[in-house]
Amino acid sequence: MTWVEGAVLGLVQGLTEFLPVSSSGHLVLAQTLLGVNPPGLTLEITVHLATMAAVAAAFWRDLARIVAAAFRALAPRGRVAPSPGEPAGRPGGRRAAPPRGWSDPSLRLLVWLAAGTVPAALAGLAFEDWFAALFSSPRAVGWALMVTGLLLVLPGRKGREGRGLDRLGVRDALVVGVLQAAALAPGLSRSGATIAGGLLSGLDRDASVRFSFLLSVPAVLGAGLLDLTGWLSGGASGATALAGVSDPRLLLSAAGAAALSGYAAIRLVVASVRAGRLGWFALYCWALGAAALGLGRF
């Protein structure tokens, strides 16, 4: 693979990873139609890290507050610096003490992100072989894309008067988490399913899209960790897979394209959800799903 092909791969991966159209579904269809092989382990880890960087760049304030809340929860009682974006202080120059414990909405969000990650982790461990088998079935991808389109139109105009992220609860986290687990199947979009799940649970549009993308951080980290674990347990074959990219320009081009296209895709999805236009992506999913079902007959 040349560095130009790597850039194209990163571009497609970054766009389809976050647009609600299923990156895994596109990979299966590309393999079937074009004979494209999956990227090597080094390239796959690189692209995963690049897409995570795109999420971090788009939601750095939320992530900074979550990290600060975690440190406050672990720190001994005393004076603690406020989180990023919190009021600077009170009259007289004294800083306002940030909330701690369960009264801290950022700490609650961290807990709900952990809860929302559990269903996908359990499903991946329990049904790994079943999900892996679906990657060889264009017909299964076609039906999953059809379901993705349905999920995108189900919320309709919901979310205009929903609950904010500070009122997220364990039920919301688990509903979204179960849909993220279902999206392990190729063709079922992770971002589309989780955003729709948040809207159907009664969250407002901003809360739904933010929670969906923040929930992708542990998912992407987990996928990268599994890749590394597979390499470490693969012996000589694993070492060969990891060392399979000799041209650093390939990694740089793929990572740069994935990060930039991923960031642009995130911004597009956020704007679409806030404008109540998530359903627009359903038309593409249905068209691609119909093509996949037709392909699966041959």
Side-chain angles (χ1 to χ4, degrees):
M1 183 180 290
T2 67
W3 70 268
V4 175
E5 292 171 327
V8 173
L9 174 68
L11 176 68
V12 173
Q13 176 66 25
L15 289 175
T16 58
E17 181 73 25
F18 297 121
L19 293 179
V21 295
S22 178
S23 61
S24 57
H26 281 75
L27 175 61
V28 171
L29 297 182
Q31 288 177 277
T32 303
L33 284 172
L34 306 174
V36 176
N37 293 321
L41 193 56
T42 306
L43 192 58
E44 189 171 339
I45 294 172
T46 299
V47 172
H48 270 132
L49 292 175
T51 52
M52 189 181 68
V55 177
F59 296 96
W60 68 269
R61 289 185 179 85
D62 289 304
L63 292 171
R65 292 189 185 105
I66 290 170
V67 171
F71 276 108
R72 284 199 300 271
L74 297 173
R77 293 288 177 176
R79 298 186 64 183
V80 183
S83 296
E86 290 181 349
R90 299 171 176 165
R94 293 184 59 193
R95 289 183 176 273
R100 297 191 65 170
W102 201 243
S103 63
D104 187 344
S106 295
L107 183 62
R108 295 199 303 271
L109 177 57
L110 175 61
V111 173
W112 301 146
L113 287 171
T117 301
V118 169
L122 294 177
L125 292 173
F127 303 105
E128 179 181 3
D129 293 339
W130 184 78
F131 282 118
L134 296 179
F135 278 81
S136 61
S137 173
R139 183 180 290 273
V141 170
W143 284 116
L145 283 165
M146 291 295 188
V147 173
T148 295
L150 179 62
L151 285 173
L152 295 177
V153 298
L154 273 179
R157 306 298 293 180
K158 285 182 178 291
R160 286 177 292 184
E161 303 295 335
R163 291 173 284 116
L165 204 57
D166 58 331
R167 296 177 59 196
L168 186 78
V170 64
R171 174 184 170 276
D172 308 311
L174 291 177
V175 167
V176 175
V178 167
L179 286 170
Q180 177 170 256
L184 292 173
L188 190 59
S189 166
R190 193 212 69 84
S191 62
T194 52
I195 292 171
L199 293 170
L200 292 171
S201 293
L203 300 177
D204 66 27
R205 294 168 182 171
D206 183 70
S208 297
V209 72
R210 284 167 62 199
F211 187 70
S212 169
F213 282 116
L214 290 172
L215 193 61
S216 73
V217 173
V220 172
L221 283 174
L225 183 61
L226 286 175
D227 288 339
L228 284 173
T229 302
W231 164 65
L232 292 172
S233 62
S237 61
T240 301
L242 192 67
V245 177
S246 59
D247 188 352
R249 293 180 302 172
L250 172 57
L251 297 179
L252 291 174
S253 62
L260 292 174
S261 61
Y263 184 84
I266 290 170
R267 287 304 183 194
L268 176 59
V269 172
V270 170
S272 299
V273 172
R274 288 175 176 170
R277 297 171 182 165
L278 183 64
W280 288 14
F281 294 99
L283 298 176
Y284 177 83
C285 290
W286 285 332
L288 189 62
L293 289 172
L295 182 65
R297 296 179 181 177
F298 299 99

